[in-house]
Structure formats: structure tokens, C-alpha cells
Amino acid sequence: MPDRTIDLRIWRSIGRPGLRPHFDRFTMPVDPERDTLLDLIERTWAALDRTLVFRHACHHASCGTCAIRVDGRERLPCVTTVADVWNGRSPLTLEPLRNFPVVADLAVDPSGLLARMSALHMPYVRTVEPAVRASSGVTRDGDVGAAERFEDCIECGACVSACPVAGGDPDYLGPAVLAAAERLIEAGDINRAARALDMADTDHGVWECRSIWACSAVCPSGVDPAARIMALRRAVLTQSTQTASTERSSEDAPAGATP
Amino acid sequence: MTAPRPSVLVIGAGSTGAATAHDLALRGCAVVVVERGEIASGTTGRNHGLLHSGARYAVKDAESAVECVVERDILARIAPDLLELNGGLFVALNEDDLAYRERFLDACARCGIPTRELTLAQVRDLEPALSSSCLAAVEVPDGVFDSLHLCLAFLATAESNDATVLPYREVEALVIRASSVEGAIVRDRRTGERVTLEADIVVNATGPWADRIAALAGVDVPVAPTAGVMVAVNGRYVDRVINRMAPPADGDIVLPQRRTVVIGTSSWSVADPDAIAIPAEHVALMLERGRALVPRLQEGQTRAVFAAARPLVGRVGGAEAGRELSRTFQCFDHAADGVDGFVTIIGGKTTTARAMAEKVSDVVCAKLGVTAACTTRMVPLRSYRTAYDA
């Protein structure tokens, strides 16, 4: 049995009439190496306060629903052990993601992000690429046919929360959506890629990014949105250069040459 | 003037409740779903994510196996964008496993589960990280999914058919008049407010908590919460579901989820599904057994350890327990217990949630006089991305 205890400061907010946003403090036993933050949050609800609202489902970083801020940094509490983030003394501060409407306490409403992913027609599954297998140190010979796998982005919203630009402009498409746009171009689906370029090349799109890279720092799933946004800029510029040169060559065409 | 639509209150938004809401909404019922927590925050969310071909159960539990293979094909039709349909391998690592092969192939054939025997060269080609001790492998149509997203798709579709989904509402009491359940008193976790939700029928789809809800109506349901541990390891070492070619046992499945693999699972009875203490030795066993199938797992860091309680049909402490209990499901019309307007569904698995929903919806509709037939085999599910829309 663990003989250590930890204090959690948990953000409590709207939902209860007359309740001002504040922090509640909970003290509980902890085994820092084994307990995840989600274990502690669930235990807080089960044993200490049945009114605590938080999202969770898969408990292994596959569903993306539990993302919160821990001492100001975006984390998936399901795969963050206490030892990963705790100095052994100070309380840990748990807050909901920024830049989303708060449902209550630690739960936010992801529907805006999901609607933008829908508008992009971002698929949920993709074809396995040999590069990903190689990163696991697994190589194979020959063509074995395409396997499918889920996209890396779990739509958890951590990058949107960490992005200062998203904080200043609610219409900014944000890192997850721009990264998805670049994924579609990389995947080579011509129709989806064309739509992605159109969505990205707008006032609230790829040019609004200020290259802060906070999104990539907090992504729990290895998507690296910032690098993808830079690649997306290149793709947009390449396309507009091609469009411009096509227009120019038609302007340059001699009069009467049009069939 | 048209008669009001018959109303159904579904308790629980795991896979069973979500699929039931979808089925009843399609049949024209006015459906409300209440969930004490978040969608799929109980057993459903924490499952392995294995879309069962049924092969795992073919030898010992043919009924479950047939349910799985039928439902696997239906999900592939109605929710293809939510599934990794890469198939699975049953792998023999020793002589005992090899001796099991004939029984396994025969049983799959009897259950209508397609199988294909692979050469060892083919196996190496498909899954290079698999153990070099592999003596034989059979391919089956297993797959992988994420439970939350499947639930969200069922609920999004139900909502498009006028169902209402109310998370963070915990049922405190059932409204019972003259031996008939006519609704529930639910407490909003966010506001503390209590609301009475009236309904013609209440469906108890609360999985391993089903006995607690049933007790509110003074009836008993035989649910045996049976926990299992899963371990997620960093690195996508396989694309297919890797099963041991042997009777179901602990740690005999390794499957991919995004850039990780998940090893599962174990099986033990728990009294309280809200307080599952994960035994350290189960975690060690998962890693040991998983590495027997895929030795390279030892290179990967453990990313998560989690457990959930299966709502198996049976009794806690009964003569049969754990793996001896069937994975099929059972529906209880509590009119047989003297309480009308109240139906419980337990057992099953997320792969068969649609079939469970069909069965309980048939019972509900018969009680309500609703004649519309089940159409969930054919109706495509809406995108999970619309599930949170107001």
C-alpha cells in the first residue's frame, strides 16, 4: 500500500447555479510510479466527490477524450503517471483545456474541433505506411498489401489548448485541423487535398500560425502539427505559384490563338 | 391528432445503451439516454478494442462465436470508417497449440467463420515481429476499433432520429407505480438538480452495474462483474490481431491501436466495478505472454495499464466463473419478476452490441405494441464527429 499522499487542486466551474469558478483541493494516497493522473481523478470522483465532471473512456491514449491541463501544460491524464509530473511535494493543479467551451469542471465541448475535421472530410483510418513500421524497428520485405490503421491524431484538443493564436482568434482553424489538412495532401487524395488547400489558404488558416510550436510540444500522439503547418504553407504556395503561372501563360497567349 | 410516441428511458451510454437508443429511435420511439458519467466511461471504453471474428470462442462457446461473426460483418457494413479490418492470426507456438489446430479449424467452419491457413513465409511477410517459434498460423477476419467512437456513432445516429442523450445524470431511484416502472429520478452531477424522467419503459443497460439499478426496482439480475487487465505498449509492432491458437487464456491477444499495441487480458471476479485494484502480477503476466507472441514488445515502453469489468451473465461466487461463463448476452423482462415496464440486458461484448440492442428492442417494442421491425443491420451510422453537437 502506498504511504505517500498527494494534493490535487481541481478547477471547478460552471454548471452549478451560483457557483463561481474556483479550485477544490483533494488529498489522497498515491503510488507515483503506478498511478496515472486519470486514476487519481477517477478515485477523486469515486471516493471523495461524486459531482466532479471529467471525460474519459479508453485509458490508453487511443480515444483522446480525457485531455486536460496539468500545472498549465496539456496532458492526457490516462498515460501520464504521477511520477512523470510531480515533484513529490507541491499540489498538482488540474484544469480544463483552454480555447474550448467548458461543459463543467474538467470537461470541455469538442464539437467545434470535430466540425472542422468533418468539413475537411478527414478520415479516421488510413493506410499503413512502411515508414511508421520502420520507426518501430520493424521492417518487411516485399509487397504484402495495404493494411489499415487509425490516424495518429486522436482529436484530443491538446494542441488547440496550447496554441496562443487559437486563444486570440476563435475562427482560427487551429493546429489539429491544419495538420489534418496537410495529412490529406500527404495522403494524395486529390479531392480532399484540394478542399484542404482551399480551407487552409484563408485569413483564419495556415498564414495565421505564428510558429510558436507549442502544439507540437504538447501533442501526445506524435502528430507534430507545427511541422505539418510549415509543410502546408509550402503546399499552398506551390499550388498558388502553379495557378499564377497557368494564368500568366494564358494571358501571354497571342490574341486569336484561343481555339 | 396523433397519439404520442411511446417513450423509452435507456440507462447507460456504453455500447449496449448506445446501440439500443439507436435501434429504438429508428423504430419511432421517443428515446432518452441517461449516463452517470461520460459516454463509454465504464466497461465499454476500457475494452480491448478487438472486433471479434468469433474465432476466439468457436471451440467452447459456439453461440457467442456465431453472434460475433455475424455482427462483425454488419459493423463492417454500417460503420466501415471506424474499423481497422486487417484480420487476425491464430498462432501456434508449441506442440500443444498445433494439436489444437484441427479442433479450432473445425469449430470455425461449423460457426461460419472464414479461415485461411498461411505458410510460415506468408506469416513472416505479413507480421515480421511475430515470434520465430511460430509453427503454424491461421488467418481470420478479426479487426480493431475504438469503443468510444463506436458509441458516439450510435448515439449521433440516434440523436438524428430525435433521441436525447444526457450524460452526467446518475439514476437515484426508479419511479414505480402499481408494480410498474414508469421512469427514473436522476441527479445532474453538474448542478445537483434532481429531475424525474417519465417513460413508458425503462431499459437497464448498465453492464456490470446492472444489479444495482435492478435493485432499485426490487428485482435481481445475475450479473458477474469479471475484470480483465490490459497493457498498452509503445510501438506498432503488428498490424493484425495476434491470438494464441489455444483455448482462451490470460494474455493471449496482442492487437494494434494507432502507434501502440495492447496486450490482454486476464479474468477475475470483482465485487465492485468502481474499485478494481489491478494486481501487479497480472501486468507482469500480460507482458510475459505478450512477448511470447511478439518478442519485440520487450523493446517498447509500457504506456498504460487499465482494467474493466465484463458484465457476464452468472453469479458472483457461482460454480462457474470467469472464462467458464459464456460471452453471449441475455435479456430479462422483469414482468416475470412481477415488475412491469422494466427490462435489463447484460452480457455480450461491444462487437455484438447491435445484436444485443435488437434483442432488447424487440422485447421493448412487443411490450409497447410497436410493430416496426429492426433496421439496424442496414442503416449506416452517422459520423461520431456530430455526437457532441447541441
Side-chain angles (χ1 to χ4, degrees), chain B residues 37-57:
Chain B
E38 182 50 62
I39 311 306
S41 59
T43 296
T44 295
R46 262 166 275 192
N47 82 29
H48 211 150
L50 168 54
L51 180 68
H52 279 274
S53 65
R56 179 172 176 79
Y57 305 119

Side-chain angles (χ1 to χ4, degrees), chain A residues 15-16 34 42 45 50-63 79 104 107 110-111 114 117-118 122 124-125 128 133 136-141 144 147-155 220, chain B residues 36 38-41 45-46 81-86 125-129 144-146 148-149 168 170 187 189-191 232 235-237 239 257-259 262 274 278 280 296 303-304 306 384-385 388-389:
Chain A
R16 297 171 201 88
R34 283 190 69 190
E42 203 177 18
W45 165 76
R50 299 286 286 190
T51 70
L52 180 65
V53 174
F54 58 102
R55 290 196 195 275
H56 64 124
C58 80
H59 291 237
H60 65 283
S62 187
C63 78
V79 291
S111 52
L114 298 179
M117 287 291 196
S118 279
M122 178 64 182
Y124 187 64
V125 293
V128 169
R133 297 300 294 272
S136 306
V138 180
T139 55
R140 54 173 149 196
D141 304 318
V144 293
E148 296 167 320
R149 74 181 212 68
F150 295 142
E151 281 287 352
D152 283 336
C153 178
I154 55 177
E155 301 172 352
Chain B
R36 68 175 190 173
E38 182 50 62
I39 311 306
S41 59
R46 262 166 275 192
D81 52 335
L82 293 181
L83 311 173
E84 285 182 12
L85 295 174
N86 294 331
D125 205 19
L126 289 171
E127 295 296 352
V144 173
F145 61 92
D146 178 82
L148 170 65
H149 291 87
Y168 311 120
E170 187 152 14
R187 184 172 185 278
R189 200 157 134 184
R190 297 165 300 176
T191 62
R236 187 182 174 92
Y237 292 97
D239 281 328
Q257 286 275 7
R258 302 185 195 268
R259 288 191 188 206
V262 183
D274 281 330
I278 296 179
R296 298 198 61 167
R303 187 158 163 87
F306 54 106
Y384 69 88
R385 290 190 179 117
Y388 296 105
D389 294 351

